[in-house]
Amino acid sequence: MLQSLCTVCCNFGMWGRQRESKSMYKRMPSRDYTKNSDIEDDSALIQNNMDAEVTNPSWSLSFPHVVAATISSFLFGYHLGVVNEPLESISIDLGFNGNTLAEGLVVSTCLGGAFIGSLFSGWIADGVGRRRAFQLCALPMIIGASVSATTTTLAGMLVGRFLVGTGMGLGPPVAALYVTEVSPAFVRGTYGSFIQIATCLGLMGALFIGIPVREINGWWRICFWVSAIPAGLLALAMVFCVESPHWLYKQGRSAEAEIEFERLLGGAHVRYAIQELSKVDRGDNIDNITLSELLYGRHFRVVFIGSTLFALQQLSGINAVFYFSSTVFKSAGVPSDLANVFVGIANLTGSLAAMVLMDRLGRKVLLLWSFFGMAVSMGLQVAGASSYMAGSGALFLSVGGMLTFVFTFALGAGPVPGLLLPEIFPSRIRAKAMAICMSVHWVINFFVGLLFLRLLEQLGPQLLYAIFASFCMLAVVFVKRNVMETKGKSLQEIEIALLPQE
């Protein structure tokens, strides 16, 4: 645009010759600039737009909206871990103690609900907007937590866990969408790391909440009641948060999108942000997206990349490591409570490091080194499980390898896919493509959790951990060949770079 207007000025003899414009935008007719006052006004406007493009907006404007959105991630982590410690007490109070199938259902029913929630998350986010999707995420979490806290039967517990699971499934993809769309490009990676940090805090909160109330009769009910507080806070906070300007613009509500951009970026950056959106606006209707277009059509490649990343994330063995951590630490003489604290600290430390490095090193670098570090860590655990190792050396390798695995996972393989995928998906398919990829995540998660103990018994820890290490190295190769770097790029620049050829 700047070069186009400079060309207009050349027509008035300001430089004495006409310069060729390389701008993407259409040249404005010279008759619109026949008055000197107009030229002066437009020159000021040019300078403002140039400053807005060169300088970064204040991060403090978007920060509160991102923090509010990550409450859903805190709830996600909390409900993943809330039944781990009190499961035995729940089984005794509800009368299914010793029934391993029933105990497994209390855990896995939540995962089933999460699959349903994630499957429809894209259609909900596109249909009612990101803010209302968050509120719809909070509603079943409040109702489900209340049902679980008050039930006296196994059936009631399963209903409550399923309702909570639907909210868990809806929350993460919407949070990834929202944080990506409201964050300025220069801090989008840092803000994306907040999702993983909030999940870690939720997992640790589920562990620590039981410590002060464990002596109370029916203490596990308190653990469920407490979760209704952040869920209610999420629903209330979204009343005051901005709606995604990207979603508003795609709905044809440009004036509202400008208002929300002003709240997020400041007035000086609004025009430039709207111009960036217009670069990839081809009049596509997001309601016309079909599954065949996502799975077989022109957007298949980016959906394949996203689904594969989430599949490799789960096939790396991260959940298996979490499931088996207590046993490994117990063999080293470490109490399970302290073991969980160590794993939580490693997870949180890695997430904090990712927050610092995401916008400095980039997404692809963190993914590559994260998966490579996880492969090495699995190698340490294979060595620890070897018959050639004995005594303290084997325990050191097992425990050290496990903590290193969790740390390197949190450094890249954990937080990056949830941030990278909304960045590489075109705005037209972003919400629905995220729904497909997160559904793959939950399916793989479910089967890893279901089959891990049986595979451990049949194959032994050496072979099983070697398989996990192989998946990690496969992920390194896949990321190297298929993932593009998105650090510092606007969503529109990324979309143009990956735009399917018509």
Side-chain angles (χ1 to χ4, degrees):
M1 180 67 76
L2 177 58
Q3 291 178 345
S4 298
L5 291 176
C6 288
T7 303
V8 174
C9 293
C10 290
N11 290 335
F12 284 89
M14 294 183 68
W15 285 278
R17 63 185 180 88
Q18 187 178 34
R19 299 173 63 186
E20 181 181 0
S21 173
K22 296 181 180 180
S23 172
M24 295 178 60
Y25 305 111
K26 292 182 179 179
R27 185 174 301 163
M28 299 297 293
S30 60
R31 64 176 176 270
D32 293 337
Y33 300 90
T34 56
K35 295 182 180 180
N36 291 335
S37 60
D38 291 339
I39 296 176
E40 293 174 0
D41 291 342
D42 289 325
S43 297
L45 180 59
I46 294 169
Q47 187 63 42
N48 288 339
N49 282 341
M50 184 173 65
D51 291 342
E53 182 176 355
V54 172
T55 61
N56 291 321
S58 173
W59 61 268
S60 61
L61 295 175
S62 53
F63 179 77
H65 308 281
V66 171
V67 171
T70 56
I71 297 175
S72 65
S73 301
F74 176 87
L75 286 163
F76 171 77
Y78 186 92
H79 284 293
L80 275 181
V82 71
V83 297
N84 289 350
E85 287 294 319
L87 184 58
E88 183 178 355
S89 298
I90 293 172
S91 64
I92 294 174
D93 289 352
L94 300 186
F96 59 90
N97 187 36
N99 186 339
T100 55
L101 176 61
E103 292 178 353
L105 282 174
V106 171
V107 177
S108 60
T109 299
C110 188
L111 300 180
F115 171 76
I116 299 298
S118 65
L119 191 62
F120 291 100
S121 62
W123 281 261
I124 293 173
D126 276 344
V128 302
R130 307 336 186 199
R131 288 196 310 168
R132 289 185 181 176
F134 277 121
Q135 292 174 324
L136 289 176
C137 154
L139 183 62
M141 285 190 168
I142 294 172
I143 297 174
S146 302
V147 171
S148 297
T150 57
T151 187
T152 57
T153 64
L154 173 62
M157 175 60 69
L158 296 181
V159 169
R161 292 290 287 166
F162 182 83
L163 288 173
V164 164
T166 59
M168 286 174 57
L170 176 58
V174 176
L177 285 171
Y178 186 81
V179 171
T180 299
E181 292 177 342
V182 304
S183 302
F186 77 104
V187 290
R188 194 168 57 237
T190 301
Y191 282 172
S193 301
F194 286 6
I195 294 175
Q196 178 72 11
I197 292 172
T199 303
C200 294
L201 293 176
L203 284 165
M204 296 177 73
L207 169 66
F208 293 136
I209 193 65
I211 296 176
V213 299
R214 191 167 297 177
E215 302 303 320
I216 301 175
N217 187 33
W219 62 277
W220 56 269
R221 298 183 187 273
I222 299 175
C223 297
F224 286 111
W225 276 123
V226 166
S227 68
I229 298 174
L233 184 60
L234 173 64
L236 178 64
M238 279 299 131
V239 175
F240 304 98
C241 288
V242 301
E243 180 55 89
S244 166
H246 294 254
W247 180 78
L248 290 170
Y249 190 83
K250 283 295 179 181
Q251 298 294 317
R253 296 156 64 177
S254 301
E256 295 176 60
E258 290 186 20
I259 293 173
E260 301 297 51
F261 267 134
E262 185 170 1
R263 293 177 63 188
L264 289 168
L265 307 176
H269 297 266
V270 172
R271 177 181 288 270
Y272 178 71
I274 291 294
Q275 286 176 347
E276 284 289 289
L277 279 179
S278 69
K279 291 181 183 179
V280 291
D281 179 30
R282 297 175 295 173
D284 294 330
N285 189 339
I286 57 177
D287 293 331
N288 293 333
I289 299 295
T290 61
L291 279 176
S292 61
E293 185 176 347
L294 296 176
L295 300 179
Y296 309 106
R298 59 196 179 112
H299 297 298
F300 166 75
R301 182 172 179 270
V302 288
V303 175
F304 170 75
I305 291 173
S307 300
T308 305
L309 273 180
F310 270 127
L312 290 171
Q313 180 197 64
Q314 295 304 305
L315 291 172
S316 69
I318 182 60
N319 283 322
V321 167
F322 280 128
Y323 299 151
F324 197 50
S325 60
S326 296
T327 303
V328 172
F329 277 101
K330 282 181 181 178
S331 65
V334 180
S336 61
D337 285 354
L338 191 57
N340 290 331
V341 170
F342 285 154
V343 171
I345 291 174
N347 199 5
L348 182 59
T349 303
S351 300
L352 291 172
M355 179 185 70
V356 174
L357 298 174
M358 192 78 74
D359 284 314
R360 296 183 180 182
L361 299 181
R363 287 58 152 160
K364 187 172 183 177
V365 172
L366 285 184
L367 270 181
L368 287 172
W369 283 105
S370 175
F371 277 119
F372 181 75
M374 291 162 67
V376 173
S377 301
M378 276 296 178
L380 294 178
Q381 295 189 71
V382 170
S386 172
S387 59
Y388 296 102
M389 296 292 297
S392 59
L395 292 177
F396 177 79
L397 287 175
S398 296
V399 173
M402 179 173 298
L403 292 179
T404 305
F405 184 90
V406 172
F407 174 81
T408 51
F409 171 83
L411 193 61
V416 171
L419 168 67
L420 179 71
L421 301 193
E423 290 182 322
I424 67 173
F425 291 148
S427 57
R428 180 172 178 254
I429 68 165
R430 187 172 292 139
K432 296 180 176 68
M434 276 298 295
I436 298 298
C437 295
M438 284 300 297
S439 298
V440 171
H441 166 276
W442 283 112
V443 170
I444 302 296
N445 189 350
F446 175 81
F447 281 107
V448 169
L450 180 67
L451 300 175
F452 170 68
L453 291 177
R454 181 175 294 274
L455 289 174
L456 184 66
E457 182 180 288
Q458 297 291 327
L459 303 177
Q462 266 189 291
L463 181 56
L464 184 57
Y465 284 160
I467 292 173
F468 287 147
S470 300
F471 276 117
C472 291
M473 290 307 299
L474 179 63
V476 172
V477 176
F478 180 82
V479 170
K480 182 70 174 177
R481 292 184 175 181
N482 295 281
V483 173
M484 71 169 288
E485 183 54 69
T486 59
K487 179 187 69 171
K489 295 182 174 68
S490 71
L491 297 180
Q492 289 68 43
E493 290 172 332
I494 298 168
E495 181 168 345
I496 290 172
L498 293 172
L499 205 60
Q501 297 298 317
E502 299 291 351

